Amino acid sequence: MVRFIEENTKPVKNETGDEPKTDVTTAKKKVLQDLIINNGGGLINSWVDSMRTCSPTHLKSLMKRSSWLTEHPSALDMFEEILHVSEGKQIVMFLDYDGTLSPIADDPDRAFMSKKMRRTVRKLANCFPTAIVSGRCREKVYNFVKLTELYYAGSHGMDIKGPEQGSKYKDDKTLICQPATEFLPMIDEVYQKLVEKTNLTPGANIENNKFCVSVHFRRVDEKNWSDLANQVRSVMKDYPKLRLTQGRKVLEIRPIIKWDKGKALEFLLESLGYANSTDVFPLYIGDDRTDEDAFKILRERRQGLGILVSKFPKETNASYSLEEPDEVMDFLQRLVEWKQLRAGA
């Protein structure tokens, strides 16, 4: 059996005291919690339905944007309020990469961030401890970002490394955390089998992200999604220690361990000395379903805020929203300018 993980969206009040409504019923609620690989037919159809509902083009019809924005207002419009609730606390920044710092690309290998975004993130890291938390292999994310002063958490947080140089927040020794090392041979094996199985599916892209495997179906014709699901199923049935989760037109194959982007956030806060501190204000910005693990942690801690990057309404544990990477850059730049003004004063 392979586990198909569905996020819990039970509301928890945030620091502003708001409790977002979750009475909007979406197709996501109908997704099966468990995908029994040994069964086919209906369960595969449910899996394909889940793939379909995760597509933004399908999500846009499920909720009215105006009512959704009431619950998840623009972080740019509410910038002063965010500053107010963070007053007197150390802001720590957590940023997803794809769809947050760079536009979503049809070819995952060409998801480049702009030079302006890179300059903005560098300035941000000079003002606040800053981490990139991505489903990508850590080395790949670093090659995209190319900033040594950041913390990098790749493979959905299963591969964490501290800043190499240039960070005022660096510890005496380089921080490293890899809780799933024992699964590396299994991940490599699954990657090779999936490459072979999906070879004849036009548009399928299998990416080895070291501690997880990503099956990108962004360029796969929707009529072929069922075939792709069956191909993945035929491989996964032999690996009960791996689980399957889903992102934006990508299937993620990961070890069954209690570790995700939320755990990575907590680990990094602890490493920075803020494990039980009330004087820290984590800000997490991300666009993907896997970022919900981090948004959920912030709500449970009643500390900090999550910001979802999306043009389309969808259920989320985030408190605020931004539409696209350009808006993320504007928000980060305003944070930098605010910090620099305070430092100057």
Side-chain angles (χ1 to χ4, degrees):
M1 181 173 74
V2 61
R3 305 285 296 176
F4 195 118
I5 305 301
E6 178 71 14
E7 289 84 2
N8 182 353
T9 56
K10 184 178 180 181
V12 181
K13 290 183 179 180
N14 60 21
E15 291 207 22
T16 62
D18 298 326
E19 182 176 295
K21 300 175 182 178
T22 55
D23 57 352
V24 179
T25 302
T26 71
K28 194 179 81 170
K29 288 292 187 182
K30 299 179 182 178
V31 177
L32 293 177
Q33 296 269 346
D34 296 303
L35 179 65
I36 310 298
I37 287 299
N38 290 326
N39 291 339
L43 287 174
I44 286 295
N45 290 336
S46 295
W47 189 6
V48 174
D49 286 342
S50 174
M51 293 164 70
R52 188 173 293 116
T53 58
C54 280
S55 169
T57 56
H58 290 274
L59 281 167
K60 66 182 180 182
S61 63
L62 298 178
M63 304 181 195
K64 291 183 178 180
R65 181 163 179 78
S66 58
S67 61
W68 186 81
L69 281 174
T70 301
E71 300 174 3
H72 311 285
S74 166
L76 287 171
D77 294 342
M78 305 300 291
F79 187 76
E80 294 301 325
E81 178 179 314
I82 293 172
L83 292 184
H84 176 71
V85 296
S86 68
E87 185 68 32
K89 300 177 182 179
Q90 172 64 62
I91 292 176
V92 181
M93 297 300 305
F94 297 89
L95 306 167
D96 186 20
Y97 182 75
D98 293 274
T100 300
L101 298 181
S102 74
I104 292 291
D106 285 343
D107 183 353
D109 292 331
R110 300 193 62 79
F112 302 117
M113 68 191 302
S114 68
K115 291 181 180 179
K116 187 174 181 181
M117 178 68 88
R118 183 175 289 106
R119 289 195 298 268
T120 300
V121 174
R122 176 181 281 118
K123 292 175 184 177
L124 184 76
N126 288 331
C127 296
F128 313 103
T130 301
I132 308 292
V133 186
S134 173
R136 299 267 200 157
C137 167
R138 176 171 54 80
E139 290 84 355
K140 289 182 182 178
V141 178
Y142 177 81
N143 287 336
F144 278 130
V145 180
K146 294 183 170 67
L147 295 176
T148 59
E149 53 265 61
L150 305 181
Y151 293 81
Y152 289 90
S155 302
H156 301 287
M158 289 182 284
D159 188 6
I160 301 175
K161 193 172 186 295
E164 293 181 4
Q165 60 184 22
S167 172
K168 67 181 75 173
Y169 307 102
K170 180 181 177 182
D171 291 330
D172 293 335
K173 57 183 180 179
T174 300
L175 176 70
I176 295 178
C177 176
Q178 296 179 331
T181 304
E182 65 183 282
F183 292 92
L184 283 175
M186 187 182 299
I187 291 294
D188 288 338
E189 189 175 297
V190 168
Y191 167 73
Q192 293 296 338
K193 289 185 177 181
L194 283 172
V195 169
E196 295 173 5
K197 281 283 185 181
T198 63
N199 186 47
L200 297 179
T201 301
N205 186 322
I206 313 301
E207 185 178 17
N208 188 335
N209 283 311
K210 192 170 182 176
F211 292 98
C212 60
V213 178
S214 301
V215 181
H216 299 276
F217 58 92
R218 182 169 299 277
R219 295 193 291 182
V220 177
D221 192 301
E222 191 169 332
K223 67 183 181 182
N224 295 325
W225 286 3
S226 181
D227 290 339
L228 180 63
N230 273 299
Q231 290 161 1
V232 174
R233 164 180 167 261
S234 68
V235 173
M236 290 292 292
K237 63 182 177 62
D238 297 325
Y239 296 92
K241 292 185 177 180
L242 298 179
R243 63 172 174 157
L244 190 70
T245 61
Q246 203 165 323
R248 290 180 62 180
K249 291 198 173 178
V250 61
L251 301 174
E252 305 279 6
I253 297 163
R254 298 191 259 169
I256 295 184
I257 62 171
K258 292 183 178 180
W259 199 269
D260 51 38
K261 289 184 176 182
K263 294 293 186 183
L265 180 150
E266 291 186 309
F267 175 83
L268 286 167
L269 287 177
E270 181 177 352
S271 299
L272 286 162
Y274 297 119
N276 300 306
S277 174
T278 58
D279 297 326
V280 64
F281 192 83
L283 272 175
Y284 191 108
I285 307 178
D287 74 307
D288 198 78
R289 283 178 69 177
T290 58
D291 297 309
E292 291 296 327
D293 294 316
F295 296 153
K296 182 182 175 185
I297 287 293
L298 293 179
R299 283 198 175 276
E300 290 175 348
R301 291 169 66 106
R302 292 178 170 81
Q303 190 174 49
L305 294 169
I307 301 175
L308 176 70
V309 184
S310 178
K311 290 184 177 181
F312 305 105
K314 52 186 174 181
E315 287 191 47
T316 180
N317 281 297
S319 302
Y320 296 94
S321 64
L322 293 166
E323 286 196 5
E324 56 191 358
D326 282 347
E327 285 199 355
V328 173
M329 183 166 60
D330 290 344
F331 180 82
L332 299 181
Q333 185 60 43
R334 288 184 67 178
L335 274 178
V336 169
E337 292 170 356
W338 168 76
K339 181 68 173 180
Q340 291 174 339
L341 282 173
R342 287 177 64 94

